[in-house]
Amino acid sequence: MLVRGLLPSPVWRTLRAAAGFPSLLQGIRCAPAHHIATEDPPGDHESVSPIQEPRGLYPHHIPTSALQKLLLSAGSAVMSLYDPYRHDMIAVLGETTGTLALQNLYEKMSKDPEGMQILQERPRIRMSNLDMERFRELPDGTFGREYARFLDVNRVTPDTRMPVKFVDDEELAYVAQRYREVHDLLHTLLGMPTNMLGEVVVKWFEAVQTGLPMCMLGAVFGPLRLSTRRKKKLLELVPWAVQSGRDARCFLSFYYENRWEQTVASLREEIGILPPPPIRV
């Protein structure tokens, strides 16, 4: 049993969320109060001393130790494998295991003029920043029109992307947030749906491009959830996704907010993404 008070409340809540089975984390507890009792010398009536919680480096940041990250990684990995649609657990896994990959992505972006502009201006992809009505009026085949179609058909929104919490570097936290928010744009560029087959194909591309352990985990174990027919289709799509990931420039170094009127075909060519094969099965 771990020592009481090992985990701060936000980390404990995340681990409890990871535990689809309560016994998985039984015995791991956090101190419910912000004070700890001390043994006082005679005549001293001050029996408690305040605990100063670490201040976050950015909004939503939760500082964690190496041990706490290990616990978060293990719990979120187990739950992600058990339920691949637990996007909250996948997000935690990506943050707690992706430091080196995020550093490499930051370096790639900083060496690219457009990528550096993104790092400096830190744009966000949120519904409040998107003119969806204008996107729907753009010609078919333009990036903005196809992105709006993707959101409408799949009934998704960029606002569902969770804020980064466990990355202990403000600049790397933005890289993680940017990766998270352009995920649906990548679906549009790769021509992949949001079903399990499409998600696995996108994860193969992302794994090659980013080196994030979370993407590798999804690429390797995601196919276990596919039917036999879709596994056969996946065997046709993976080589294309891997080659595109290897040949393409860093997909995070593109200021997509300035490219809504560009055609998807020309943007794919600029990035280095090969035309996608048909995915109907």
Side-chain angles (χ1 to χ4, degrees):
M1 182 179 294
L2 296 177
V3 178
R4 182 182 180 88
L6 177 63
L7 300 175
S9 296
V11 178
W12 168 243
R13 286 195 294 269
T14 303
L15 277 172
R16 286 289 298 270
F21 313 99
S23 61
L24 177 65
L25 297 170
Q26 186 174 6
I28 303 177
R29 297 184 179 275
C30 65
H34 293 283
H35 298 82
I36 55 176
T38 60
E39 186 175 350
D40 303 324
D44 190 344
H45 298 287
E46 294 184 4
S47 59
V48 295
S49 59
I51 294 178
Q52 298 293 331
E53 292 189 356
R55 299 180 64 180
L57 300 175
Y58 51 87
H60 305 291
H61 178 229
I62 302 175
T64 48
S65 67
L67 176 57
Q68 291 162 357
K69 280 186 172 58
L70 178 62
L71 293 171
L72 286 168
S73 299
S76 58
V78 169
M79 201 59 206
S80 297
L81 291 173
Y82 177 74
D83 183 359
Y85 291 100
R86 284 295 302 271
H87 300 295
D88 55 340
M89 294 297 99
I90 294 173
V92 172
L93 181 62
E95 295 172 27
T96 55
T97 62
T99 301
L100 292 178
L102 291 173
Q103 290 173 347
N104 291 333
L105 289 170
Y106 179 86
E107 290 178 6
K108 289 180 180 179
M109 294 178 70
S110 64
K111 294 177 181 178
D112 184 278
E114 197 168 349
M116 176 55 75
Q117 183 183 3
I118 294 169
L119 293 174
Q120 291 173 342
E121 298 181 5
R122 297 190 178 186
R124 297 292 304 274
I125 299 176
R126 311 289 293 173
M127 289 300 291
S128 58
N129 299 332
L130 302 175
D131 188 348
M132 298 304 299
E133 291 304 317
R134 183 175 75 86
F135 291 175
R136 294 186 181 100
E137 294 175 356
L138 290 173
D140 289 344
T142 57
F143 186 46
R145 179 67 187 95
E146 298 309 319
Y147 176 57
R149 194 192 314 276
F150 172 86
L151 296 180
D152 292 341
V153 169
N154 294 284
R155 298 181 180 179
V156 294
T157 167
D159 291 350
T160 59
R161 299 297 172 187
M162 293 180 60
V164 174
K165 299 178 181 179
F166 299 108
V167 177
D168 296 329
D169 182 288
E170 184 183 10
E171 292 178 328
L172 298 185
Y174 175 74
V175 174
Q177 191 70 47
R178 182 67 175 178
Y179 157 75
R180 195 169 289 172
E181 292 180 2
V182 303
H183 179 78
D184 289 338
L185 302 182
L186 199 54
H187 269 275
T188 303
L189 289 168
L190 295 175
M192 293 295 120
T194 57
N195 59 23
M196 185 56 66
L197 175 60
E199 291 292 350
V200 172
V201 173
V202 172
K203 279 292 176 283
W204 273 103
F205 178 90
E206 291 179 338
V208 174
Q209 275 267 306
T210 68
L212 285 166
M214 171 267 296
C215 296
M216 298 178 188
L217 188 71
V220 172
F221 290 98
L224 298 177
R225 297 275 177 167
L226 297 176
S227 65
T228 301
R229 184 177 61 172
R230 290 195 169 183
K231 285 178 181 176
K232 292 180 179 179
K233 186 62 178 179
L234 181 65
L235 292 176
E236 301 175 13
L237 293 170
V238 167
W240 163 79
V242 170
Q243 184 178 352
S244 291
R246 287 175 177 171
D247 295 345
R249 293 166 54 192
C250 178
F251 71 93
L252 291 179
S253 293
F254 287 81
Y255 212 133
Y256 297 106
E257 292 87 339
N258 297 333
R259 296 169 176 269
W260 300 124
E261 297 181 8
Q262 185 174 351
T263 65
V264 171
S266 66
L267 184 53
R268 282 175 184 158
E269 184 177 0
E270 186 177 349
I271 297 172
I273 297 175
L274 300 172
I279 192 173
R280 293 184 181 277
V281 292

